[in-house]
Amino acid sequence: MINFWGSWCAPCRVETPEFQDVYAELRDEGVQFLGVDVKDDRQMASAFMTKVDAEYPSMFDPRGEVAMAFRGFPANVVPSTIVLDTEGRVAGVYTGAVTREDLQSVLSSLLQETGG
């Protein structure tokens, strides 16, 4: 799962702790999360991730260059989430906040397909 977020983004501030919960539940099954912090202040972003105890990695993309590399996907909309299967194929694209239930559902389906 790749999530494009910013500490300044209200929906991101809601979904990030929920993403951490899902990550904690599924990481031992091989599910990987990556945050991409776009157009943000590094100190604000770091403080936010520490505050919500987010353990999954997040890279700093202050100018949104990584997001722009995802041509054909709305990664420049924050928040945006792209779910990939084990083969790197897109299994889901979400613009706006993703609920914990929706994320768990798509990831559980992918785990079932791969026998996880």
Side-chain angles (χ1 to χ4, degrees):
M1 190 234 27
I2 304 169
N3 175 250
F4 296 88
W5 68 281
S7 65
W8 46 266
C9 161
C12 301
R13 297 179 73 79
V14 172
E15 72 181 4
T16 301
E18 293 185 356
F19 285 175
Q20 172 55 38
D21 291 343
V22 174
Y23 173 71
E25 291 171 15
L26 299 177
R27 66 180 160 205
D28 290 340
E29 296 182 50
V31 175
Q32 297 179 10
F33 281 36
L34 174 65
V36 180
D37 177 28
V38 297
K39 301 176 184 172
D40 208 345
D41 174 84
R42 186 175 289 226
Q43 286 183 307
M44 296 286 287
S46 179
F48 171 70
M49 292 297 273
T50 299
K51 179 181 175 184
V52 299
D53 294 323
E55 298 173 320
Y56 58 88
S58 187
M59 64 182 293
F60 187 59
D61 184 25
R63 295 187 299 189
E65 294 170 342
V66 172
M68 297 309 283
F70 280 80
R71 289 181 172 78
F73 297 99
N76 59 339
V77 175
V78 176
S80 287
T81 302
I82 301 172
V83 178
L84 305 171
D85 68 9
T86 58
E87 303 297 319
R89 297 176 298 222
V90 175
V93 176
Y94 302 89
T95 55
V98 179
T99 66
R100 175 188 180 131
E101 294 77 20
D102 286 344
L103 185 59
Q104 282 176 314
S105 176
V106 71
L107 293 174
S108 292
S109 293
L110 287 173
L111 285 170
Q112 287 176 354
E113 287 176 12
T114 61

